[in-house]
Amino acid sequence: MQHLDFIVTAAPAISIEGGRVLGFVGAGGIATALTIVMVAGIREPKGSAATGGAPAKKGRIRKKLTSDQAQWTGVAAGTFYMAAGSLWTVGGQLSDAFSGLITNGGFGSAGTGAVSLVLAAIMYFREMTPGKSAFTGIIAAGVWASAGGIWGIPQALILTGAGALGIS
């Protein structure tokens, strides 16, 4: 009598193809998602005391980004705007325009490193509303990327992390 051993394995119920935890997202998709996060997160929740509305329904949860969260969400969104291209080039154009205000000779000899320092000082020392913080973060992403040096570290970390998740 012949004896056969069978090894039976179950197919995995969930598979992460090619290391893509979120499936295929792409730079444009993540730029869109981060924009939605910023817009939804900087608006005052409905029914809050600040807007004078009636109290929100019990059990309804709404989140609001803090100034710091909005700022770093803006930096991440700005980084993906540059990577996505297409419609998202507006973020880079805003960064170039802001940078041009300082580097075009009005302040003497100043480069994008100086613009990066100005933005870092504003972001660190000024407490802004979440909307202004998000806008500043978007501008900072483009300026820091063009300045290079240590200013390129946030962009490198964001894009490396996105690549590790399979988002790029």
Side-chain angles (χ1 to χ4, degrees):
M1 182 176 243
Q2 189 174 14
H3 185 317
L4 296 173
D5 288 344
F6 288 100
I7 299 175
V8 179
T9 59
I14 299 173
S15 71
I16 299 175
E17 185 177 319
R20 292 188 173 140
V21 175
L22 301 175
F24 179 74
V25 179
I30 199 70
T32 303
L34 287 172
T35 302
I36 297 299
V37 167
M38 283 189 300
V39 170
I42 62 178
R43 295 186 52 126
E44 195 63 42
K46 290 183 180 179
S48 70
T51 59
K57 293 180 183 178
K58 191 173 183 175
R60 191 173 191 194
I61 299 172
R62 296 241 350 202
K63 302 289 182 197
K64 188 170 191 275
L65 293 173
T66 66
S67 180
D68 287 340
Q69 291 169 335
Q71 176 178 289
W72 290 107
T73 303
V75 170
T79 300
F80 284 107
Y81 293 166
M82 290 181 293
S86 188
L87 146 82
W88 299 110
T89 59
V90 172
Q93 293 169 354
L94 287 171
S95 297
D96 292 343
F98 181 80
S99 185
L101 291 173
I102 296 174
T103 60
N104 286 341
F107 292 95
S109 178
T112 53
V115 180
S116 298
L117 283 170
V118 167
L119 283 167
I122 291 169
M123 293 167 77
Y124 184 77
F125 290 109
R126 294 293 302 167
E127 181 68 33
M128 296 179 275
T129 63
K132 290 176 184 174
S133 292
F135 185 71
T136 304
I138 292 168
I139 290 174
V143 171
W144 290 347
S146 66
I150 64 166
W151 302 109
I153 292 174
Q155 179 187 29
L157 290 173
I158 291 167
L159 293 178
T160 300
L165 291 174
I167 293 174
S168 57

